[in-house]
Amino acid sequence: MKGLVIFKRIYWGLLLLSTSANAQWYQHSFEVMGTMSHVEFWLDNSEVEKEQAINDKADTLIQVVKQEMIRIDQQMSPYIEQSELSKINREAGVKAVKISQELFDLLIIAQNISTLSDGAFDITYASIGYQYNYREQKRPNQQAIIEALPLIDYASVQLESSKLTVRYTSDQVKIDLGGIAKGYAVKRCLALLKSAGVQNALVSAGGDTGLLGDRYGRPWLVAIKHPRAENKNAAVIPLTNEAISTSGDYERYFVEDGVRYHHIINPKTGDSARKVVSVSIIGDDPTYVDALSTTVFVKGLTVGMQLINNLDNFEAIIIDNKQRLHFSNGLQQ
Ligand code: FAD
Ligand code: MG
């Protein structure tokens, strides 16, 4: 599991003991979108269903979650040539491209967050972003960055709602949804579980976690990974019916001449953002908390915290360069 680690406490066993023999937790982890996903939920068999029937229902629900993640991967991956996103990146620079309502709606949310953040969150960061390869320790040179910077501008993505089309102002513009689509996928999966009658569940994709209800009478405990120590946590947060996303500079990075190049790009410089090392955002909506964690990471401690403190219903935990933790106003009460 990436940035957020789901904390298993010793009262796990006690929970099973203290409840009916036919009711239990189900969980499953799988790889999708280049990261680990996890689903965990409670099925309460208070009716007369047989144990086999409830196990079958759990298996079906796990498959529903898995298929939904895979569906969104196929639609929004920049790594899949036939994805809707790849098609847009190939064609929208030369003509208006008709897209699905679902992707259109997500692009509108991305644009709203760009406006809200004065461009700190900007999916056109990919116009330079694709020149970074963290596994191969490759990065664009300064000249390439200077040439690409004018392309990084969310206003270059023109959305026409009456026709459901997207058009870029240049064929050099590229977009990427790595900072928002996993949160969206978590949101979709939770909605599917809820509509199937599940009331207590956790779904995560990498550092993006969404929760339904509590963990059988107690809050879920979600850990924020220590940004510089493997297998250590910086904090453990009790949460109920909320979402939390963490963005960290330790997820995809390499170090060259003492400088850390990582996957969160400041759209104003085309270089990695280096004001903080980890940002976690808590709120109702998994799509927004995903995008806002990336946003606040780019903005840094002072301006990023101010943004969250001015928004209703969102909280932040920021770890600065000296590994000190900072909490938004709502978490200090
Ligand atoms: P966050 O911290 O939430 O955001 C960082 C990500 O947002 C960056 O990785 C980048 O994608 C994007 N970003 C960077 N700067 C900005 C900015 N200023 N504004 C907006 N966005 C920004 N990875 C693979 O290796 N293989 C795959 O097959 C693969 N498939 C994927 C399919 C999909 C549909 C998605 C959404 C991602 C996929 N990834 C894949 C990417 C991988 O999982 C990323 O590491 C992940 O999306 C970043 O997750 P995070 O929570 O760490 O990012
Ligand atoms: Mg994010």
Side-chain angles (χ1 to χ4, degrees):
M1 177 105 4
K2 297 180 26 179
L4 294 169
V5 182
I6 313 313
F7 228 55
K8 307 261 162 34
R9 296 283 267 203
I10 42 170
Y11 53 75
W12 167 278
L14 298 178
L15 280 170
L16 283 179
L17 284 177
S18 65
T19 56
S20 118
N22 285 339
Q24 53 186 306
W25 287 102
Y26 293 86
Q27 58 174 319
H28 183 67
S29 297
F30 55 97
E31 239 185 287
V32 68
M33 304 187 212
T35 188
M36 282 310 287
S37 270
H38 182 77
V39 53
E40 193 170 329
F41 54 86
W42 174 260
L43 281 189
D44 197 351
N45 191 14
S46 53
E47 285 146 39
V48 285
E49 280 178 278
K50 294 254 173 2
E51 195 178 343
Q52 186 58 48
I54 200 161
N55 285 343
D56 288 350
K57 185 174 173 185
D59 283 348
T60 304
L61 289 175
I62 286 170
Q63 284 312 314
V64 164
V65 166
K66 214 168 162 176
Q67 289 311 315
E68 183 64 0
M69 290 274 186
I70 292 169
R71 184 186 70 77
I72 292 170
D73 188 17
Q74 292 292 321
Q75 184 185 19
M76 302 188 185
S77 174
Y79 296 86
I80 298 174
E81 219 177 292
Q82 309 78 10
S83 73
E84 205 178 356
L85 181 105
S86 296
K87 179 179 153 72
I88 299 174
N89 274 339
R90 275 194 304 273
E91 298 178 6
V94 281
K95 60 175 189 204
V97 179
K98 181 130 183 6
I99 61 172
S100 63
Q101 182 76 55
E102 185 176 29
L103 188 52
F104 191 89
D105 291 346
L106 193 58
L107 293 180
I108 292 281
I109 294 174
Q111 217 159 55
N112 289 344
I113 296 170
S114 296
T115 311
L116 173 82
S117 66
D118 192 24
F121 184 86
D122 190 333
I123 57 175
T124 66
Y125 91 91
S127 310
I128 190 67
Y130 79 93
Q131 292 193 39
Y132 286 89
N133 187 323
Y134 304 98
R135 289 191 183 98
E136 293 175 14
Q137 312 211 343
K138 284 194 184 136
R139 64 184 178 90
N141 61 33
Q142 201 48 36
Q143 187 54 33
I145 290 179
I146 289 167
E147 284 167 21
L149 274 182
L151 305 166
I152 306 178
D153 180 357
Y154 57 95
S156 318
V157 179
Q158 299 173 335
L159 297 165
E160 176 61 69
S161 60
S162 61
K163 297 184 191 146
L164 277 189
T165 58
V166 55
R167 167 106 216 228
Y168 301 162
T169 52
S170 151
D171 62 2
Q172 301 296 303
V173 170
K174 299 281 172 269
I175 63 167
D176 175 88
L177 299 173
I180 190 167
K182 287 196 288 88
Y184 172 71
V186 165
K187 180 175 176 162
R188 284 283 313 149
C189 292
L190 284 181
L192 290 172
L193 288 174
K194 197 172 177 181
S195 68
V198 176
Q199 291 174 2
N200 307 84
L202 175 153
V203 176
S204 69
D208 302 302
T209 300
L211 306 167
L212 266 188
D214 58 22
R215 200 173 188 288
Y216 216 80
R218 292 174 191 248
W220 296 90
L221 296 173
V222 185
I224 297 173
K225 207 169 151 182
H226 193 293
R228 293 292 179 268
E230 280 284 323
N231 305 323
K232 262 180 102 176
N233 296 326
V236 178
I237 317 292
L239 290 173
T240 299
N241 215 19
E242 278 191 291
I244 175 165
S245 281
T246 295
S247 292
D249 69 357
Y250 48 85
E251 291 296 354
R252 287 174 186 219
Y253 74 96
F254 63 92
V255 177
E256 191 184 299
D257 299 330
V259 180
R260 182 179 284 249
Y261 295 93
H262 68 87
H263 68 140
I264 303 167
I265 304 297
N266 183 343
K268 306 255 185 318
T269 63
D271 189 9
S272 301
R274 297 195 186 83
K275 289 180 182 157
V276 293
V277 297
S278 167
V279 172
S280 299
I281 302 291
I282 299 166
D284 285 345
D285 187 324
T287 311
Y288 276 84
V289 297
D290 183 8
L292 285 173
S293 68
T294 313
T295 303
V296 172
F297 195 105
V298 171
K299 285 203 165 285
L301 178 60
T302 312
V303 184
M305 197 63 102
Q306 204 170 42
L307 175 76
I308 294 300
N309 281 331
N310 285 336
L311 291 175
D312 287 336
N313 305 325
F314 292 101
E315 301 298 339
I317 300 158
I318 301 179
I319 307 180
D320 69 19
N321 281 316
K322 297 198 169 106
Q323 290 165 45
R324 287 177 304 216
L325 271 89
H326 303 263
F327 297 89
S328 59
N329 290 344
L331 294 177
Q332 292 177 20
Q333 288 151 11

